[in-house]
Every structure is written in C-alpha cells, then in structure tokens.
Amino acid sequence: MKKTILIFTALIVFKINTPAQTVTDYDGNIYNTITIGTQIWTKENLKVTHYPDGILIPNITDSIQWKNLTTSAYCNYNNTDSFANIYGHLYNWYAVNYVKNVCPSGWHVPSDFEWVTLTTYLGGENVAGGKMKEAGTTHWSNPNTGATNSSGFTALPGGDRNNSGGFENIGKSCLFWSSIQFNDLNALYRYLNYYSTEAITVSSFKTYGFSVRCLKDTSSNVNIIDNSKYLNIYPTLATTQIYIDYKEIERLNLTIYNVVGKCMLQKELNNGSNKIDISFIPQGIYVIKVSSTNWTIQQKLIKE
C-alpha cells in the first residue's frame, strides 16, 4: 500500500516596522514628523525653552510684563505646566523672529508662503483645516466641524495669550505663527477653529502668544523676506485695484492666485509704483506673490 505523505510548509511573514522619523530639540523633547506633499512638518507643537545654541527663552507669567514685551518670551496656557505636555508652549512673535531660530537645527518656523503651500496641497484654505485638525472632541470643542486629520498634521486647539496678557480659546482654536511680519506691530499666523474647516491667514499683534510648528529645511526652501522693508503692497482689502511700490531692488514678478492655487494674474513689475487692475477677479480670498530670482514675498488679499 502506498502511503501519501503530506508536507505542510508554514509561511512565516515578518513585518518590519519602519520607525517614525523624529527630531529632537535642545531640551531633549522628541517630536514625531509627518510628510505632507513636498514638506516635512513636526506633528506636535513646539515646547522648547532654549534656542539651539543654548540661550534661554524667558518664561513670562506676569500679564503686564507680557503685554509690554518687545523681546522673546514663552509661557504655558494659564501658566499651567500640564498644558504644555499636550499643546506645547505659547510664544510671542519676537521669539519666532529671533535670529537664533526657535526650531531645532535644520528646521525653521514656516513663512506664510510655506503655510499656503500646505493648505493648497490639502485643497485650499477653506477645507485644509478639517484635514489638519485632530478628529473627535477629546481636545477640540463640539462640533469640531469637518475634522478628519487625513493629512496626519494633528492640529490641537492650544488657544492663545492675548496682548493684554490674558489666556483664551483653549479647546476652540489653534493659532500657528508664521515667520512673516505684516507691519511694525503685527505678524501673520495660521488660524484653525472648532466650527469650520478653514485654515486661514490672519495678522495679529506680535505680543500675542501662539503655538509654533516647525518645518524641515530643504534646498528648495524659498528665501522669504520682510515685506515692510523691501516694498509696500496695499490695500489688502480691495475692489478694483491694488498698488505695489518698490525701489532700488532687482526686477520683480507678480502672481496672484486663489486658495486652491489657480493663477489669476501674472505680470512683471516696474521699479517705482505699480497700479494693478484686479476688477476682473471674482470676490474672494487670494494670495499675492512677489518674487525675484532669489526670494519671495507673499501677502493675503481680500477682493470685495
């Protein structure tokens, strides 16, 4: 009698987990990172207390001292350390703008143009907030409209410290500084809230305390410069025309595009005063980009 011998071969599958990429700040805080489009962002808000060279950032708890500052400072929401574990620290813009760079070496505070790159990749600023916010109501207030966190950015509502030194909006909004000054008193930031899917650009007093996210340096990072020092773009709320004045710098190019990245106008600028017709552009929110071969300046435009 023939015997049939059945041989069973076990297939063993080894799952190799690639460790998540991280970055460590001067204090030893470790941040997970996320790649979104061509950019690499930290997934958590910054909570460092030193610049990368070891210089201490002052922790200012007194409200009167805070509102009168014109130098770098940070605080915790309600001056309570436990909030920092979840939401990170709140920094005034002077800390963001300090020459030492508040982010870890090889990283930087994003310009508003770089925030626009992110929101454009996510479908435009009207919907990007929903894709950036942590889903659910563990940290966000109801209804946390449209929050899916499909981007992996995991924005948390850390609130802010206002220019009177008071704290507000925990659970309701997250406000991320950009590196761009709007004028002598104000700088640009990115705003997300619990009742919409927006992630919009707004300007605020530099004395406010907002959250910070860091963006990894790349060889393609655009060199962003301070618009108040090189040229003047006005008004930011317009119906038929805007003006762009500049003097004694190289030839510049103008592009105006909408929140989903569609180019609405492109032209070369002349040295001096330029009157730009925008009467044909529909009402809405746009980004004005002025660029040379070496740098780019961008500013928000509201067309009425």
Side-chain angles (χ1 to χ4, degrees):
M1 177 183 294
K2 292 184 178 180
K3 293 183 179 180
T4 302
I5 300 174
L6 301 178
I7 301 175
F8 295 92
T9 303
L11 178 63
I12 301 174
V13 178
F14 294 93
K15 182 179 180 181
I16 301 175
N17 292 317
T18 302
Q21 297 297 309
T22 61
V23 60
T24 304
D25 66 25
Y26 182 89
D27 295 338
N29 299 306
I30 299 173
Y31 305 88
N32 293 307
T33 67
I34 183 72
T35 299
I36 306 174
T38 59
Q39 299 174 311
I40 302 176
W41 296 81
T42 54
K43 288 184 68 173
E44 295 93 21
N45 295 348
L46 194 67
K47 52 184 176 183
V48 73
T49 61
H50 295 80
Y51 289 105
D53 62 357
I55 293 178
L56 181 68
I57 306 170
N59 178 11
I60 304 300
T61 58
D62 182 76
S63 59
I64 295 176
Q65 187 179 0
W66 178 274
K67 72 178 184 179
N68 291 320
L69 283 171
T70 56
T71 55
S72 301
Y74 83 92
C75 64
N76 297 318
Y77 192 90
N78 273 347
N79 293 318
T80 303
D81 291 346
S82 60
F83 280 109
N85 295 329
I86 300 172
Y87 302 106
H89 297 317
L90 299 175
Y91 300 86
N92 65 13
W93 191 78
Y94 301 106
V96 168
N97 191 50
Y98 190 62
V99 68
K100 299 294 184 180
N101 180 27
V102 71
C103 289
S105 297
W107 296 71
H108 64 278
V109 178
S111 68
D112 193 57
F113 178 80
E114 289 168 319
W115 280 112
V116 169
T117 298
L118 173 64
T119 56
T120 299
Y121 179 81
L122 296 177
E125 65 176 13
N126 288 336
V127 298
K131 299 175 183 179
M132 295 166 65
K133 292 188 295 181
E134 179 193 60
T137 55
T138 300
H139 298 108
W140 283 94
S141 298
N142 272 317
N144 197 14
T145 300
T148 65
N149 197 30
S150 60
S151 69
F153 188 87
T154 318
L156 294 176
D160 64 272
R161 190 174 195 178
N162 61 37
N163 65 335
S164 296
F167 297 93
E168 57 191 3
N169 296 317
I170 191 78
K172 295 182 178 180
S173 61
C174 59
L175 310 95
F176 296 112
W177 278 124
S178 83
S179 61
I180 299 300
Q181 174 176 275
F182 184 70
N183 56 34
D184 288 344
L185 297 177
N186 298 272
L188 300 180
Y189 68 94
R190 188 61 51 160
Y191 173 69
L192 294 79
N193 62 59
Y194 73 102
Y195 57 83
S196 80
T197 59
E198 294 180 331
I200 61 174
T201 301
V202 189
S203 66
S204 183
F205 289 113
K206 299 174 184 178
T207 50
Y208 267 72
F210 292 157
S211 300
V212 170
R213 284 292 181 96
C214 297
L215 182 63
K216 189 173 184 179
D217 297 347
T218 69
S219 58
S220 62
N221 283 140
V222 178
N223 182 23
I224 304 293
I225 63 176
D226 179 353
N227 63 356
S228 66
K229 295 179 180 178
Y230 291 85
L231 54 78
N232 191 20
I233 304 172
Y234 61 97
T236 56
L237 180 65
T239 54
T240 59
Q241 59 199 28
I242 60 172
Y243 295 88
I244 301 177
D245 301 338
Y246 79 96
K247 186 178 180 181
E248 296 178 356
I249 51 179
E250 59 189 297
R251 189 173 295 277
L252 304 179
N253 293 306
L254 165 70
T255 306
I256 299 178
Y257 55 94
N258 64 16
V259 293
V260 297
K262 179 181 178 181
C263 178
M264 308 300 293
L265 173 67
Q266 194 166 34
K267 66 177 298 181
E268 191 173 87
L269 297 175
N270 298 313
N271 197 341
S273 182
N274 294 263
K275 181 179 178 181
I276 311 298
D277 178 24
I278 60 168
S279 60
F280 63 94
I281 297 177
Q283 293 181 345
I285 299 173
Y286 298 89
V287 175
I288 302 170
K289 182 171 76 171
V290 178
S291 58
S292 73
T293 56
N294 298 311
W295 50 260
T296 294
I297 294 170
Q298 68 82 37
Q299 183 168 303
K300 183 178 180 180
L301 168 68
I302 300 176
K303 168 66 188 301
E304 291 188 315

